Amino acid sequence: MTEELKTKLTQIEKTYTEKIHQTASLKNLQDLQVAALGRKGELTELLKNLKDLPLEDKKTFGPLSNALKTKLTTAFEQKQTELETAAVNEELNKTNLDLTLPAYTFDKGARHPLSIAQKRMTTILSRLGFVWSEGPLIEDNYHNFDALNIPKHHPARDVQDTFFIKNAKEDKFVLRTHTSGVQIRAMEKQKPPIRLIAPGRVYRKDDIDATHSPVFNQIEGLYIDKNVSLADLKRDLSVFMQGLFGQKAAVRFRPSFFPFTEPSVEVDVKCVFCEGKDAGCPVCKGTGWKEMLGAGIVHPNVLKNCGIDPQIYSGYAFGMGVERLAMFTLDIKDIRAFYENDVRILEQF
Ligand SMILES: [Zn+2]
């Protein structure tokens, strides 16, 4: 029995070592491995039978068989690496691949200048505690006009200025002309304090020229709490402007009129190009100031429309065009440059 086993082991070693050496294909090598070490392979079967041997023989043949298993496993692995390397080399020779050629270059993408501008603005505002809010692009007349204290005869409601969405019965919906609807919806749902910004696309029936586009981006802001005054508005918007244009940026507040705020102001920043010293400056047209945004104390009627008691709460709101600020900060002369996506322009930022 033991002699028979010894012969068997020697025979398995000899046969498979020889066959591995002669094999020229990966497929044959795999078949060979299964035949020797597979679940029903020759050596596996032999190892299974060891358990029936007397203890002494187990002690002799156990280690011998395991050593052979390790030896064959290593031989199979070495041969496999050898065959695979040969296959790769053959493939390379066939395709005439020149590894010394320079690699293809890829154009690297970058943020769009509008995204850069919007990110800068929203980052500063979020540091001031404003939370990003969103709303529908198709807005109903109530949230776009009525709730904002915009009277029925106001020119903004003119079909010349607004894209109305035709409905068989009435013109009830519009493409939002500002993101103020987001403010209204927030006030309807939420109790003060409210501190939000509403960035997003808005639509107006403007002809396209160097400074107008029927689609553009806005960021509006709203802060409602007890005792919010024009002083809070001036402080926060000054901090915002200085965040955008630098600590030394001069900011100016001018009285204005909007139906949804009272009092209302326009906020200008000192021209960063000429600092007011060039009467021929094309950016500020020689005035030394550039209008940046509109703002004001939220009209009591607007608060009432949203179920907020104007006797208890007050607040300020502001709105600005992302394109306008981006044109000023990035020195882009034509608004169309943002939408035409000419990479020669986009690459500069
Ligand atoms: Zn200027």
Side-chain angles (χ1 to χ4, degrees):
M1 176 68 184
T2 53
E3 272 311 305
E4 200 187 312
L5 254 178
K6 210 182 261 177
T7 318
K8 185 75 183 156
L9 276 177
T10 320
Q11 181 243 313
I12 290 177
E13 178 172 5
K14 189 166 176 287
T15 312
Y16 283 98
T17 311
E18 236 165 61
K19 280 186 179 171
I20 291 170
H21 182 69
Q22 287 162 0
T23 302
S25 87
L26 278 165
K27 173 79 180 74
N28 287 347
L29 189 73
Q30 269 166 10
D31 292 344
L32 211 54
Q33 191 162 9
V34 171
L37 306 171
R39 207 157 50 86
K40 289 197 170 147
E42 239 180 304
L43 188 59
T44 316
E45 290 291 333
L46 194 127
L47 281 161
K48 271 186 212 162
N49 295 330
L50 283 182
K51 67 177 191 306
D52 302 326
L53 292 179
L55 187 63
E56 274 308 304
D57 290 345
K58 266 192 214 168
K59 277 186 180 167
T60 320
F61 285 102
L64 274 179
S65 315
N66 280 321
L68 178 58
K69 192 181 171 184
T70 310
K71 190 180 168 185
L72 287 181
T73 306
T74 312
F76 276 118
E77 282 171 2
Q78 277 172 354
K79 188 68 183 187
Q80 189 181 341
T81 310
E82 197 183 295
L83 289 175
E84 281 171 352
T85 310
V88 170
N89 283 335
E90 197 188 314
E91 195 60 32
L92 284 177
N93 287 336
K94 235 194 278 176
T95 53
N96 287 330
L97 187 67
D98 184 353
L99 291 173
T100 63
L101 281 175
Y104 290 111
T105 57
F106 292 95
D107 288 332
K108 217 166 77 183
R111 269 182 206 280
H112 191 277
L114 275 182
S115 302
I116 297 172
Q118 181 176 285
K119 182 94 195 304
R120 279 185 63 192
M121 293 155 76
T122 54
T123 303
I124 300 167
L125 290 166
S126 62
R127 281 188 201 133
L128 288 168
F130 289 91
V131 176
W132 187 303
S133 292
E134 284 179 8
L137 298 181
I138 295 174
E139 190 55 281
D140 55 53
N141 271 335
Y142 178 76
H143 287 92
N144 199 77
F145 296 124
D146 298 336
L148 283 150
N149 200 36
I150 300 174
K152 292 266 185 257
H153 59 267
H154 194 276
R157 303 180 83 142
D158 197 327
V159 284
Q160 304 298 322
D161 292 308
T162 303
F163 290 105
F164 285 91
I165 300 209
K166 287 278 179 202
N167 167 300
K169 284 180 192 152
E170 49 181 335
D171 292 335
K172 214 177 144 196
F173 295 98
V174 297
L175 286 179
R176 66 179 183 187
T177 57
H178 42 205
T179 61
S180 308
V182 180
Q183 301 186 33
I184 299 297
R185 287 169 189 281
M187 286 190 281
E188 283 170 345
K189 265 186 263 160
Q190 206 180 319
K191 264 186 146 23
I194 298 169
R195 208 171 172 95
L196 64 83
I197 43 171
R201 236 175 305 155
V202 300
Y203 306 83
R204 296 198 193 158
K205 252 190 188 169
D206 280 324
D207 288 329
I208 303 174
D209 62 24
T211 52
H212 294 88
S213 160
V215 186
F216 61 100
N217 292 274
Q218 256 199 340
I219 297 180
E220 289 193 8
L222 174 74
Y223 174 39
I224 308 279
D225 204 345
K226 286 173 183 160
N227 303 316
V228 177
S229 73
L230 201 61
D232 297 290
L233 180 155
K234 285 189 77 175
R235 177 203 56 213
D236 289 353
L237 290 181
S238 298
V239 169
F240 171 67
M241 285 299 175
Q242 281 159 0
L244 268 187
F245 298 108
Q247 285 301 312
K248 287 184 187 146
V251 184
R252 174 174 91 169
F253 294 79
R254 274 184 296 117
S256 184
F257 172 80
F258 305 111
F260 28 80
T261 46
E262 179 61 38
S264 305
V265 292
E266 306 251 11
V267 185
D268 300 339
V269 73
K270 190 90 171 243
C271 178
V272 291
F273 295 98
C274 73
E275 293 178 327
K277 289 170 191 154
D278 178 7
C281 174
V283 177
C284 64
K285 303 201 168 65
T287 62
W289 296 92
K290 187 81 182 164
E291 184 194 318
M292 286 291 128
L293 56 84
I297 296 299
V298 179
H299 197 288
N301 286 351
V302 176
L303 295 179
K304 270 187 239 163
N305 289 339
C306 302
I308 293 175
D309 186 347
Q311 301 295 334
I312 304 173
Y313 294 104
S314 56
Y316 68 69
F318 58 89
M320 57 199 155
V322 178
E323 280 83 348
R324 171 186 277 267
L325 266 88
M327 285 168 80
F328 188 56
T329 49
L330 303 172
D331 193 18
I332 293 173
K333 301 282 193 291
D334 194 317
I335 198 170
R336 288 167 286 202
F338 292 125
Y339 316 122
E340 285 167 353
N341 289 332
D342 182 337
V343 281
R344 289 167 302 179
I345 292 171
L346 300 182
E347 267 172 354
Q348 297 171 32
F349 304 102

